[in-house]
Every structure is written in C-alpha cells, then in structure tokens.
Amino acid sequence: MNKLATQTSPYLLQHADNPVDWMPWGDEALQLARDQDKPILLSIGYSACHWCHVMAHESFEDDATAKMMNRLFINIKVDREERPDLDKIYQHAHSMLTNRPGGWPLTVFLTPHDHMPIFAGTYFPRTPRHGLPAFTQLLENLAHTYETRKHDIEQQSDSIRDVFRQIAAQGDTPADHLGSMPLDVARNQIEQQFDSRFGGYSSAPKFPHPAIIQRALKHWARTVKSGNPDSRILHTALFSLERMCSGGLFDHLGGGFCRYSTDEQWMIPHFEKMLYDNGPLLWLTTQAWCISDDINYRDAATETADWIVREMQSEAGGYYSALDADSEGEEGKFYIWDPKTVAAQVDNDEYLMLARRFGLDRPANFEGRWHLHAYRSYQQLAEEFDRTDTAVRDALQAARNKLLQAREQRIHPGLDDKILTAWNGLMIRGMAYAGRQFGSTAYIDSAAQAADYIHAQLWRHKRLLATARNGHAHLNAYLDDYAFVISGIIELLQARWESKWLHWAQQLADALIEQFEDERNGGFFFTSHDHEQLIQRTKTYSDDATPSGNGIAAESLLALGYLLAEPRYIDAAERCLKAAWTSINQAAVSHCSLLEALDASLEPPKIIILRGSADELASWLQTATGAFLPHTYIFAIAEDNELPPSLAEKSMSNHALAYVCEGMQCSPPISSRRVWDELIEDNKAVLDPAR
C-alpha cells in the first residue's frame, strides 16, 4: 500500500494498492520533490471517471510503468472533487499549453520548486494510438526535458505567470452601474444555441446545462408578468427537459440522470450519475411540472428524488457523491438489456408495451445491447393499444418495477460515498423544493437530515469543511461550499421553517463575505483568505458543470439581505455583480447564475412572511403548492423563538397574516384568505394564464 491508504477519497483509495508510489497533495510530497529535485507527476481524476479507470488499468497497475514513474517523478494523486482548487488551476494551465479543453484524467508535469506546469494532457494510452504517444514514452521525454531544458521551462513558467496576472487584473475595474441588457443578450444567445430538433444547447456530447434552462424559465416568467409571454424561450427549456427525461440520459427504472449524452438525441449517456447534476435537475423538472402540469416532468422529478433517498443518502443524513459509470469492468453494463431478458421478466402485454416504448423492437443501440430510450409517448401507446393513458402508464409502471427488481440482482456500479459540502447544498435545494411543491414530507425530511449532517459534521468553529467520509471531515471549504449551502438552506426554510437554520445561514453568509470577498474589487475568490497558497488564486464568474459560486453567492446574499433587512448582504452582492460586469458582457449565456442575481438586483423579489398557527399556515400554503413563483420567497413562521428583529416585528395574531415586502418596502399585512389566494394567482407563472 502506498501513502493514499489513509485518505478519505474513494478515488484515492482506488489507487492505494498501485505499485506507483502515489502520495496525496500536501507538504510531505511537495517537500520531497524539492529535496530530490524531481519533477512532479500530478494525476487528477475522480472515482466515477471511466477513462481514469482505463488509464489506471493500463499504466498505474503495471509494474514496469510504475517502476519508471517512481524512478523519474514524485507522483501525486488528487481527487478533483475534494480539491477543485487544484483542478481549476491545472485545467486552466492545460488549456493554455494545448489550446484544447481539458478533462479527466488530467495529467500534468510540474516543476518541483514552484509547481508550475511543464506539460499537460489528459488520457495517455499504454501503447501509441489515437495520435498519442505511449505513456512510458511521455515519461522518458518529460524527465529528459526537465534535465536538459530548465531555462526553457523557466521562460514558459514566466509566461504562464504573466497570463495569470493578466486574468487577475481583468477584474480591477468594477462597473459603476448595472443594467438589464445582458438579460436580453443571454435570452437571444440561448435561442441561438438551442437544438430545435432534439433539445439542449449544443451538439454531441450534450450536457444538461441546468443554469441555462433556469435562466430561460426565469426570463419567461418575467415576460408573463409583463403581459407578453415569451413562448419561444420557454419552449427551449421545456423541450430540452422533456427530451432529457424521455431519453437514455434518464434512468427509466431507478430514477436519476446520467452525466451527459454521447449523442445528439440524449440516447446513450456516459453512465456515471453525479449528485451535482441531479440536484439542479430535480429542481428544474419540478419547476417544469409547476409550469406545465405535465405528469412526465413530475414522474422524472419524483423518481429522481426517490432514488436519492433510496440509494444516495447515508444513514447519518449526508448525500453521497456519485455512482460509477462502470460495473464489472464495463461501462453501462448495469443498465443495459436484451429483449429476451426483458421478456422473461414481464408478461406478454407488458413486454409489447415496453418494446414499443423503449425500442426493444428496434436495432440495438449500445454495443449490441439495448439501453432504454423512450421512442413513443404514453398517448401514442394508448392509441396503438386502444387503452387509456392511465392504463398504459399503470402497465408500464408495473413492468418497470419488475425490471428494476431484476436489475437489483446485478453487480452495482461503485458508489463514491464521500460527502461533499457543496454538492449536498445543491441537493438540499432540489429536495426541499420538490418536497414543498409535491407536498412530500419525506423529501423535506431528507433535505433537513442532510442540512443537519452538514451542520453537525462539517461546520467547525464557524467555518465549513469541504468533505467527510466515515466520520472524518477535513479540507478547508471553498466558495461553492458556502454559496450552495446557503442557497439550500433558503429553500429549506421555505419548505419547513426552523429558526436554527436561519441563524446558520447568517453565520455562513458572514463567513463567506469575511473569508472570500475581494475587498478591493468585489466578487468572491474560490479559496478563502487563509487557504494554502497556490500558483493562482482563481475568481471565476462563469458557470461550469456546476453553477457559478459567485452567482449563487450573490443571489443568496440578496435573498438573505431582503429577508433580514440587512444592507451588508445586498451591498456585497451588488459589488460582486459590478466586479463581474465585464465578464458577463463578454459572454452573457456563460454567466446565467450571475444573471439570476442581476435580475434579482434590478427587480427585487417578493419576500412574503406568513405568521399564524401551524395548522393555519399549512392551509394557506396549499394555495402556493405547485405554483411556479420564481421571483417570490414564502416563509411560513409559526414560532416566535430566536427571530431577528426584521421578522420578530411581523408579529403573530389570533389568525393568519401575510406580510408582503418588495425590496425594502412592505405592504400592510393581508388577513383575508381570499386576498391571499388572489395574490398567489396574480404572481404565479403558468402556461395558461386563465388556469
């Protein structure tokens, strides 16, 4: 066993018995590189990464390759999910050195004294192919380069440092004011990028892009309010979600979404399931149901939530990180079928429906086997089989349950059971929102248990830690950890008020501003002021696979600021937007999370405080259940304990009261149930305004 054996990351533990002398990133490994003047071979990946597994089997488990690695380099393994700070820096370095996007596994060779990149790539094969050298050839060449061309390496390092400085300097001139133009620019860019045939916003490979879908829904909701609904931008969002939900990206037996589609039709996914995708997609499919009342979105949302509770939540409450793409050494083996096997599990009528619905009567679509992808709608099947939609749904549900039970007997993909704070924040938000919109106490309980876990295990001395596994929590948290958890807590407070969560959200917001804000220019760095010093301190504004930490931070601070009448939070959010203004205007559609904050800054949301007995509040909340209210926060408070002044002054009465505020202005409280119902009806956005 090498020095990865004591780590919490399942990815690092996968490599603990490699013959490579792997070490985790830390003082010991970095000092050893300096003492021996050996370049560092930095390998970054994650546990559910298919090509990471391939490179491990081909090279890191091979004795001869390992012997060469150990002789020539100090070898460091990093889990990109535990150390996104390192991953962001060296992915960026890879892009600068190769003029190509990066990915995983990421392979970077570093200087031993200042950790600057010498060379970067991703997957390298055991033998030369695909235009790539053999990994052992690369090792020999890089070691030789380090020994013979140190002056060239120093010049390259200086050039990279200059680029890093230029990037940092781009935020040195914050904007004087904010305007709405980027909202309209993004709207047009979304429509331009939309695939009108298959949905989504790119060609293959297709990623879900939840931040873009959210921006489209919110933009449409604004146009509904103005009396001129933008049906075209709504179509891009709903159609994209519908194609994802019906396609092979979605697990039609167990629920949940895979990482991305390898084709333009959302048919064959990369089979890993990531928590950070499923939290936002649960949130979005629930919104799509609220808007359209289409049961297909409801099914996708509830089946995803049920899968999370069933398979992805620990007994202690935190949510696990991911399911692997592979099982038994093959990608997708757990999920694929053949018609004969399916027919053996269901009766004849069920099989005929399954075959028509999921293409079992068509040619195989995945390496000679069948991956379930919906070709026919329930309505089409009802016509074809001369049954009602409900009868078709019931029959298919019974058949899917049988297939799920059969699939459960297979060897499951590997589970990455570490608890990541940021990703838990995304799932807390999704689960709490689904819980209140579907009236599910089980989903709200799930979100509350995850929040309590993060508070109990990953909140130390008024600071967050980034990850935990088997009772061991560690690593200084990042911007995303704070921003995403605050966002999740705000959603949870709307599903079930507990003053302890509001108090914690305030502490998180204070720590975020104190530890991450760029005090000179505004905006938030990815790492805290007391974080380990690396070759670059990043401050990114654009969305990635996850939403922008700056965007979620700004939107959450605005919501807290208006809820608590706390100008400090509002001012910090506006400083962030002004700092990001140049970046936003260069590529509006890449900054959709920040555009949500911009929208809320230009037109503050409604903050509604409901006061009264628990029974009365539950009755009043029924009016808002299932309503799409994207610019409205509703907090139902039946308790009087530990409320801050801005909420305590909205006092209880002997009957329910609704206090409605916009920005810093509040209206007289509403005591009439009829007026309350009219308020919700006037503010919700639906496909049919007369509904």
Side-chain angles (χ1 to χ4, degrees):
M1 304 293 282
N2 54 47
K3 293 197 173 182
L4 301 182
T6 60
Q7 296 300 297
T8 59
S9 160
Y11 174 66
L12 299 187
L13 292 172
Q14 288 172 358
H15 296 271
D17 60 354
N18 290 170
V20 180
D21 291 335
W22 290 118
M23 303 179 74
W25 181 280
D27 291 340
E28 182 182 1
L30 300 178
Q31 186 61 50
L32 188 64
R34 287 191 290 268
D35 292 345
Q36 297 186 10
D37 192 32
K38 277 187 179 181
I40 295 167
L41 193 166
L42 176 65
S43 177
I44 303 178
Y46 59 103
S47 69
C49 166
H50 173 71
W51 286 102
C52 299
H53 299 329
V54 173
M55 191 167 178
H57 295 322
E58 290 182 345
S59 296
F60 304 149
E61 296 171 8
D62 178 69
D63 288 333
T65 303
K67 186 175 181 180
M68 183 181 292
M69 292 171 66
N70 296 337
R71 176 169 54 86
L72 299 176
F73 302 96
I74 301 301
N75 301 290
I76 297 179
K77 257 293 176 194
V78 164
D79 183 339
R80 65 105 173 176
E81 296 168 355
E82 287 195 338
R83 293 300 305 262
D85 52 339
L86 294 170
D87 186 56
K88 286 177 183 289
I89 290 169
Y90 291 111
Q91 291 285 355
H92 190 189
H94 173 277
S95 297
M96 285 193 288
L97 292 173
T98 67
N99 288 318
R100 294 194 303 271
W104 301 277
L106 181 67
T107 306
V108 192
F109 296 86
L110 310 179
T111 58
H113 300 286
D114 53 8
H115 317 143
M116 296 299 293
I118 303 169
F119 178 87
T122 52
Y123 162 79
F124 290 97
R126 176 185 293 178
T127 57
R129 63 179 186 272
H130 311 310
L132 296 170
F135 186 53
T136 50
Q137 292 176 319
L138 182 69
L139 296 175
E140 291 178 325
N141 290 341
L142 262 296
H144 180 70
T145 296
Y146 180 71
E147 289 298 326
T148 61
R149 298 177 59 188
K150 290 189 177 178
H151 177 68
D152 293 338
I153 292 171
E154 289 175 3
Q155 286 187 316
Q156 176 178 277
S157 296
D158 288 341
S159 297
I160 292 172
R161 287 191 191 94
D162 286 342
V163 173
F164 284 159
R165 280 193 289 268
Q166 291 168 16
I167 292 170
Q170 288 176 359
D172 283 349
T173 310
D176 293 328
H177 66 279
L178 303 171
S180 63
M181 187 175 71
L183 301 174
D184 296 322
V185 171
R187 179 254 174 257
N188 293 332
Q189 290 174 339
I190 290 170
E191 188 173 29
Q192 290 165 6
Q193 293 182 9
F194 173 59
D195 179 350
S196 60
R197 186 178 180 192
F198 297 113
Y201 301 95
S202 70
S203 57
K206 274 190 172 172
F207 292 83
H209 295 299
I212 293 178
I213 296 174
Q214 180 63 32
R215 177 85 292 265
L217 295 179
K218 295 281 272 293
H219 186 94
W220 169 77
R222 285 288 191 208
T223 65
V224 170
K225 187 176 180 181
S226 69
N228 187 26
D230 186 345
S231 59
R232 291 192 303 175
I233 201 64
L234 177 65
H235 174 69
T236 74
L238 293 185
F239 183 65
S240 296
L241 284 172
E242 187 274 324
R243 299 307 299 162
M244 291 181 212
C245 294
S246 63
L249 189 78
F250 184 70
D251 180 354
H252 291 279
L253 302 184
F257 293 86
C258 296
R259 178 71 195 96
Y260 63 85
S261 174
T262 61
D263 59 87
E264 63 181 359
Q265 299 179 52
W266 304 104
M267 183 183 295
I268 303 301
H270 186 38
F271 285 89
E272 65 195 35
K273 286 184 181 179
M274 313 300 294
L275 190 71
Y276 67 76
D277 289 315
N278 282 279
L281 287 171
L282 170 58
W283 191 45
L284 287 169
T285 48
T286 303
Q287 291 179 55
W289 173 74
C290 293
I291 291 167
S292 67
D293 202 29
D294 187 330
I295 197 171
N296 292 295
Y297 299 124
R298 180 186 178 113
D299 287 349
T302 55
E303 289 171 24
T304 297
D306 291 342
W307 163 66
I308 290 291
V309 173
R310 184 178 68 246
E311 297 187 33
M312 299 300 289
Q313 188 158 28
S314 69
E315 290 185 6
Y319 297 116
Y320 299 134
S321 296
L323 286 179
D324 205 328
D326 298 6
S327 58
E328 302 181 71
E330 295 182 28
E331 182 174 10
K333 184 174 183 179
F334 180 73
Y335 298 98
I336 57 179
W337 295 88
D338 62 68
K340 184 177 179 180
T341 304
V342 173
Q345 301 297 327
V346 300
D347 65 37
N348 187 57
D349 284 347
E350 291 171 340
Y351 176 77
L352 291 175
M353 284 192 192
L354 283 171
R356 300 298 283 166
R357 170 77 168 159
F358 293 117
L360 297 171
D361 55 355
R362 296 170 179 247
N365 61 1
F366 182 71
E367 299 177 0
R369 306 286 295 279
W370 281 256
H371 177 56
L372 302 184
H373 170 89
Y375 292 90
R376 282 174 170 76
S377 69
Y378 291 116
Q379 292 80 4
Q380 289 171 323
L381 292 173
E383 292 176 7
E384 186 172 341
F385 288 90
D386 193 23
R387 300 190 186 184
T388 65
D389 286 5
T390 301
V392 168
R393 283 182 175 277
D394 290 345
L396 282 171
Q397 182 63 54
R400 288 192 300 142
N401 288 341
K402 292 174 184 177
L403 292 185
L404 178 61
Q405 291 173 10
R407 195 179 76 177
E408 283 298 296
Q409 307 309 310
R410 299 176 179 178
I411 296 174
H412 285 238
L415 171 68
D416 188 324
D417 61 353
K418 68 177 178 293
I419 312 295
L420 292 170
T421 302
W423 298 6
N424 269 252
L426 293 175
M427 185 52 73
I428 289 167
R429 181 184 66 177
M431 196 67 79
Y433 184 75
R436 69 184 177 96
Q437 295 293 33
F438 296 132
S440 170
T441 56
Y443 297 165
I444 299 172
D445 288 343
S446 172
Q449 289 162 15
D452 285 340
Y453 175 90
I454 299 297
H455 187 268
Q457 300 297 324
L458 290 148
W459 178 246
R460 308 275 178 83
H461 311 295
K462 295 187 178 181
R463 297 287 295 278
L464 279 173
L465 297 173
T467 184
R469 183 173 181 269
N470 292 338
H472 176 53
H474 69 130
L475 296 178
N476 195 20
Y478 310 99
L479 170 63
D480 291 2
D481 296 297
Y482 286 85
F484 296 175
V485 171
I486 296 170
S487 176
I489 295 303
I490 291 172
E491 193 61 62
L492 183 55
L493 283 166
Q494 295 180 83
R496 177 183 296 159
W497 181 273
E498 290 192 34
S499 293
K500 66 176 184 179
W501 289 329
L502 177 64
H503 179 59
W504 186 31
Q506 289 176 270
Q507 292 179 310
L508 288 164
D510 292 340
L512 187 152
I513 294 170
E514 178 185 335
Q515 289 294 328
F516 293 87
E517 188 175 22
D518 180 344
E519 296 177 356
R520 185 177 68 175
N521 300 308
F524 302 100
F525 293 107
F526 186 70
T527 53
S528 61
H529 298 323
D530 58 359
H531 195 77
E532 172 190 0
Q533 188 171 349
L534 303 171
I535 63 171
Q536 183 191 23
R537 191 179 184 196
T538 57
K539 185 171 66 169
T540 55
Y541 295 120
S542 60
D543 299 307
D544 203 335
T546 54
S548 160
N550 268 278
I552 300 297
E555 186 180 18
S556 298
L557 288 171
L558 285 169
L560 272 183
Y562 290 124
L563 173 64
L564 300 170
E566 178 51 81
R568 284 192 309 116
Y569 297 157
I570 297 170
D571 292 345
E574 291 182 350
R575 288 194 297 269
C576 176
L577 288 166
K578 289 178 179 178
W581 194 244
T582 298
S583 184
I584 290 171
N585 280 277
Q586 287 173 346
V589 75
S590 298
H591 297 78
C592 285
S593 296
L594 272 164
L595 294 182
E596 298 305 314
L598 175 63
D599 192 358
S601 176
L602 296 174
E603 190 172 344
K606 276 187 172 64
I607 304 287
I608 300 177
I609 308 299
L610 280 175
R611 302 302 311 275
S613 69
D615 289 342
E616 278 187 304
L617 296 187
S619 175
W620 280 46
L621 285 173
Q622 281 297 316
T623 301
T625 299
F628 184 52
L629 298 160
H631 305 107
T632 301
Y633 296 88
I634 302 175
F635 302 94
I637 307 175
E639 60 185 62
D640 261 332
N641 299 326
E642 301 180 12
L643 293 179
S646 62
L647 298 179
E649 66 187 18
K650 297 173 175 62
S651 58
M652 301 273 278
S653 175
N654 56 4
H655 52 79
L657 293 174
Y659 297 84
V660 182
C661 302
E662 288 190 73
M664 294 300 185
Q665 274 191 319
C666 296
S667 304
I670 295 170
S671 59
S672 164
R673 178 64 184 268
R674 178 184 58 79
V675 175
W676 164 253
D677 291 348
E678 290 173 354
L679 174 70
I680 297 301
E681 188 66 28
D682 289 344
N683 281 274
K684 70 180 182 181
V686 293
L687 276 173
D688 179 8
R691 184 176 128 197

